[in-house]
Amino acid sequence: MWLLVVSAPLLPAIFMVSRRYRVKVSVLCHRALAWALRLVRGRVCVKSTHAFVFSRCTHGKADSILQTYDLYANTHPSLCISPHMSGVLEEAVQRVRPPLVLELGMHCGYSSVRLLRLLPPAGRLITVELDPLTAELGEEIILVSGFKHSQFQVLTSSSAEAIPTLPSLLTDLDKGSSEGFSLVLMDHDPQQYLPDLLSLEREELLRPSGCSFLLIHRKQRDLREILDHIGARPDCYCIKSERQGVTEIFYQKGSTGLDR
């Protein structure tokens, strides 16, 4: 009772504040709910995919792993597996022949296996995944595919935390990888695409002679910020190709007149 008496004079002010900020509060609540739903659905998808692939594939055979992934995608809705994306990814790897690849967003390990399968003999993949469960299950699938820890490394952290640690990590790799990444796959949070690109450039982690970026997106507007940045830096960046769900950009340090 006493609480009502004390708070009564404050009700008009509370009402005005609530009216003023209800839109912002509503937006924040909506974003929080959407994030939670993505997390839950993503984990369910990863668990389901892992169980399906692990139980039906031929262990030690990367081709069997990928065929089982494709079978899963044909019978189950999945945001982690896209046959269209896989074709673009394989074409880029075969063209670039990268000795060192960075993958931001591991998901269920599908793209990791495709990348590793096409890397040159001394090639190496570093993949970054925020969710510990996803990272654990994805790493298991990579090992089941027949690849060894000497060929890849999984970093369980956010991309923002992982990128500053990469320079020291690369010092332990072969000399052929010391110039930086020549292929980067971004398939995590699109809002992090531009900050991560800037961080990679700031840490001098991009191969000066050329680095291809594959940007995975569900909606074209997801790339608005990073494409605006690229458009303002024609001395270093250009858009190499734009296909449904995948945009490839090319970086070359201090270059002018990049082929488009």
Side-chain angles (χ1 to χ4, degrees):
M1 184 65 182
W2 63 270
L3 184 60
L4 292 175
V5 174
V6 173
S7 61
L10 300 177
L11 289 177
I14 294 173
F15 179 73
M16 291 181 64
V17 170
S18 65
R19 288 189 61 188
R20 182 176 180 179
Y21 292 102
R22 69 175 181 270
V23 175
K24 292 183 178 179
V25 171
S26 176
V27 170
L28 290 174
C29 290
H30 178 75
R31 289 180 178 176
L33 179 60
W35 177 85
L37 288 173
R38 283 197 302 270
L39 179 62
V40 171
R41 289 171 181 169
R43 279 188 159 226
V44 170
C45 180
V46 167
K47 288 180 179 179
S48 174
T49 306
H50 176 273
F52 186 95
V53 173
F54 191 86
S55 62
R56 300 196 182 198
C57 72
T58 301
H59 289 205
K61 301 291 185 180
D63 286 344
S64 175
I65 296 285
L66 294 175
Q67 290 169 5
T68 310
Y69 270 127
D70 292 337
L71 176 62
Y72 179 88
N74 290 334
T75 55
H76 300 74
S78 175
L79 295 176
C80 301
I81 303 172
S82 169
H84 170 74
M85 184 196 77
S86 67
V88 177
L89 181 61
E90 292 197 357
E91 185 274 330
V93 176
Q94 291 170 341
R95 170 167 39 83
V96 177
R97 299 291 292 172
L100 184 62
V101 178
L102 175 64
E103 179 186 33
L104 301 177
M106 188 180 193
H107 298 299
C108 54
Y110 178 68
S111 55
S112 305
V113 174
R114 284 204 174 273
L115 286 165
L116 284 164
R117 176 172 162 268
L118 296 173
L119 291 186
R124 185 177 176 91
L125 169 70
I126 297 177
T127 180
V128 179
E129 173 55 49
L130 175 62
D131 179 54
L133 175 64
T134 301
E136 178 185 350
L137 297 180
E139 182 172 7
E140 185 175 22
I141 285 293
I142 293 175
L143 293 171
V144 167
S145 301
F147 300 106
K148 301 177 181 179
H149 278 120
S150 60
Q151 297 171 278
F152 73 96
Q153 185 164 353
V154 179
L155 303 180
T156 307
S157 71
S158 68
S159 56
E161 294 172 329
I163 290 173
T165 71
L166 293 178
S168 60
L169 180 62
L170 297 193
T171 59
D172 299 329
L173 300 182
D174 295 339
K175 185 177 179 180
S177 302
S178 61
E179 293 188 27
F181 297 100
S182 47
L183 182 67
V184 177
L185 172 63
M186 290 188 172
D187 192 11
H188 55 318
D189 181 1
Q191 294 185 357
Q192 279 297 124
Y193 284 6
L194 179 57
D196 288 345
L197 174 67
L198 296 175
S199 182
L200 288 167
E201 187 175 351
R202 185 167 54 250
E203 298 289 344
E204 298 184 344
L205 289 166
L206 305 179
R207 198 176 185 90
S209 58
C211 177
S212 289
F213 284 80
L214 294 177
L215 311 176
I216 309 301
H217 54 90
R218 274 64 185 178
K219 300 176 182 178
Q220 188 64 31
R221 65 171 178 265
D222 290 340
L223 303 183
R224 185 177 303 161
E225 290 185 351
I226 192 170
L227 292 183
D228 287 345
H229 173 74
I230 291 166
R233 296 286 307 280
D235 57 318
C236 294
Y237 294 100
C238 71
I239 299 176
K240 193 169 186 66
S241 66
E242 293 181 276
R243 312 182 197 184
Q244 184 180 4
V246 186
T247 295
E248 182 178 356
I249 64 174
F250 183 73
Y251 165 87
Q252 191 172 15
K253 186 174 182 179
S255 179
T256 56
L258 289 172
D259 293 336
R260 294 179 185 277

